[in-house]
Amino acid sequence: MEFEDRLFKVKMDVERKILPFVEKPGRYIGNEFNIVVKPEAQVKIALCFPDIYDIGMSYIGFKILYNIVNKIPWASAERVYAPWVDAEEIMRREKIPLYSLETKRPLKLFDVVGFTLQYELHYTNILNMLELGGIPIFSKDRSEEDPIVIAGGPVACNPEPMSAFIDVFLLGDGENLLPAFLEIVYRMKKERRKRDEILFESAKTLQGVYVPKFYEPIYENGKLKGVKKLFDELPLPIKRNVVPELKPEYYPDKPVVPLVEIVHDRFQLEIMRGCTQGCRFCNAGMIYRPVRERAVDDLINETKTVIENTGYEEMSFVSLSTSDYSLLPELMSRSYELITEKKVSPSFPSLRPQTYTKGIAKFAREGGASGLTFAPEAGTERLRRVINKQSSEDDFYRAVEIAIDYGWRLVKLYFMMGLPTETYEDLDGILRIAENVVKIAQRKKVYNMEVHVSVSPFSPKPHTPFQWERQNSIEELIDKTRYLRSKNKCKNIRLDIRDPRVTTLETILGRGDRRISDVIYSAWRKGAKFDAWTDKMNFDLWLEALNENGLRVEDYTREYDKDEVFPWDHIFMGVLKKFLWRDRQKAYKEAMIPDCRPEDICHACGACDFKTIKMLIREQIDKDVKGARDGEVLSIGEETIWIDKSYQRSNVKVQTFVYRMKYTKEGDLRYISHLDLIRLFNRIFRKANLKVAYTQGFHPHPKFSFSAPLPIGYSSLCEFLDFELEEFLDPDEIKERLAFNLPNGMRILAIKRIPKQKKSLDKQINLFEYKVYYTSENLQTQVELLLSKDEVLIDKVTQDGKVKTINVRKYIAGIYVEDDGFRLKIVRDENGVMPRVDSILKILLGLNENEIRELKIERTGQFIWENGVIIDPIEDNVEENKIGVYYHEEGNLYQHAEKRNAYSSS
Ligand code: SF4
């Protein structure tokens, strides 16, 4: 089959065989705002996230790499996500290969297939995706025709468990490493060099490239003794790559915006990378050193551009510890005007109590944030000293007081259990801290304070001072779980404790050597996948897989000796093993080491070379805040926050203008749910810079009123939306501004100004017309039979879940047979009740649910039927014929073509 034909076939198969039959078709269509399609590119990489779209689309790393690669003239990056089980089942049954969202290109047809390793429990999904993509699972089985499979991300800091499946690991920052690797692929493919030559060249010349097949582990009596390289030219150890500075051009000014809801559906602004607080259990805190802060000017520019190009209504300041960013007050001051004017809610996903201030509280609160998260990690000061957690309990209570004063009524707290040296007194401390939060709230006369406590078992992570530690057994952790649950008596505290088996599996996979590759393969063959999903993880399968390979859980959860070789010792992620060991010894003396940043004390961890790789800390500017212009400077505690006076306007009642719009919803957009459509319109209006009026209250939302939701899978030529603007604009101008920001499948047919409506649009429209593309010899007879009845009863489940029997016939205003199908008119009664279209089609055509899903159905008309006349909601056309013509005069029911007016021909 020709190449183009293969892509077209996948596209058709997706449309016909997957989308109508899966729970969330929006995950599989692509077609989002700002996607990049470069069919002419000579090197194509698939950026694969080993979990579903809803999760993978939230990952900022791929947004950065997608932007960087797509800026290279000869390269392109497309996105691939793991299909959920319903889609996978269809893909396997119908032999549809895993494909990219941009061009529907099967995975096998890419030059490079790149996975991000964010979490150990994604490993089986990677095998699954390779198989669905038609790529041999094992690296050794791949031929010259297969793509090069690469992987990077934090979990790649121990690449050995996945070494049998991944051809190349890219270790460390990818911003400059991935383009350099692709450049080698591009150059050497043009020279028709073999894949092994490409792998060798990249391993030899690029820092951060690890090709497992060029290295061999040495075991003695079953114990790992080291790793040897098979070629002298290669490096050992393999050093991670680090970018000295986070340059503004790495970050997309037009990130892809999903059409359907995802887990973190917001603009993520990375403000810095790295953390030097030195928590001894934290892998990210070690491998992302040193701290590299971004310039405030760059952050402000990015915020402005991204908000304009995406229409996002939420943003988060992303880093391992947001409140440690040196210039946070300046950043908040300068972004305040922008995000209040654009009505963007800011959030701070990682805050430290000691750096949590009134300024942050005010900033986040005014932006609409509702929950606040802190991670004390341990229940006592003693254990916090052991883990080197810098914040004290006093810091924490001070932060909670600020939060309560600024209106927070929900605090989320993260703790760990099973930490080295932990006692039951430390566990008691977890509940004591949570109870103290409730008491502080009550002292302030706040009685509805909610405290959500999440407790995760400790897992010893590679490249951390605690990498030698033993993990508590599952039985010990179950005992501790029971203990905590039995001690929690406070109704304001919700306790959520992670399943110890999940953490145990994380440890096995995270600390594993090459032998774990076989375990991953066996577990996957037995059915393990989506292990990161609590309801999908089957620990027994993993026990069987370990057993089959002669391994035990304890081999990986045990304590390691000082001089033992770890499977990841040949990978240098920046922090020296001797530093880690020294730090571990300090832990047992409850001795802390301070953050090397504010103190300017270097502990010689090894991360900086002090030439190109060093701390990049931004300097504080004048406290007067240079950008204040005509604003007002407020001092809040130790901070200076500039408040723009114009923001006060939002509390002033302004005149608003109501408009009605008619638009289409066709193509892939028919798989977007009504809720997703509401979110989409919010962003379309924001991108078009139209000043939509908002409702009052703590969570204001745009004043939109939609016509009745369209069932998923139906297209429409006539959807309606009423919207209210805070400015008077000519409808043509609104149409023009919106037209530039519409997704494929949406066209605006008309906009007109209307008076303020007493009833919502949904309540006004009560007559609907659908075109069903279905023909059969018996159709005419079937229609006549149905219409000849006075009563056709069906059970309908109402919104509150009750079952109600309704007479469907009463709601059918007409059925008109045409050459290529028929039109169905349905009315909604005065109580808002109306049968579903598919329930009528089942009765009329005798088809089952799946057969109906395969039909092409289009909404062709929506009308207001009032006092016996039919009114088009936007065109003011009034039907000549009264509705009774269709409904009662049976002889005329099939003469629709003659009776029809212009309204339905649009
Ligand atoms: S080398 Fe020194 S300054 Fe650099 S991250 Fe390590 S401790 Fe901090």
Side-chain angles (χ1 to χ4, degrees), residues 276 289-290 596 601-608 610 615:
T276 40
R289 290 175 175 221
C596 57
I601 311 164
C602 175
H603 308 296
C605 77
C608 303
F610 300 103
M615 294 275 195

Side-chain angles (χ1 to χ4, degrees), residues 362-414:
K362 180 179 167 55
F363 188 75
R365 194 65 186 158
E366 287 186 354
S370 56
L372 186 66
T373 304
F374 290 117
E377 307 290 4
T380 59
E381 294 283 1
R382 183 201 69 79
L383 191 52
R384 276 195 293 279
R385 283 197 298 277
V386 171
I387 63 175
N388 205 44
K389 188 80 193 174
Q390 306 282 345
S391 51
S392 70
E393 229 160 277
D394 287 345
D395 289 331
F396 170 69
Y397 295 136
R398 185 194 59 83
V400 166
E401 294 220 17
I402 294 174
I404 294 171
D405 288 345
Y406 277 86
W408 264 274
R409 297 297 175 261
L410 167 63
V411 174
K412 295 181 196 161
L413 302 179
Y414 286 98

Side-chain angles (χ1 to χ4, degrees), residues 57 63 255-258 262 264-268 306-315 342-345 683 686-687:
M57 267 298 283
K63 292 180 187 169
V256 178
V257 184
I262 60 168
H264 297 298
D265 196 3
R266 57 183 74 114
F267 159 44
Q268 294 156 308
V306 171
I307 289 174
E308 268 169 20
N309 289 336
T310 60
Y312 269 129
E313 54 292 282
E314 280 183 50
M315 69 177 289
K342 299 280 182 187
K343 295 188 171 65
V344 176
S345 303
R683 290 181 184 159
R686 295 167 71 88
K687 280 177 75 189

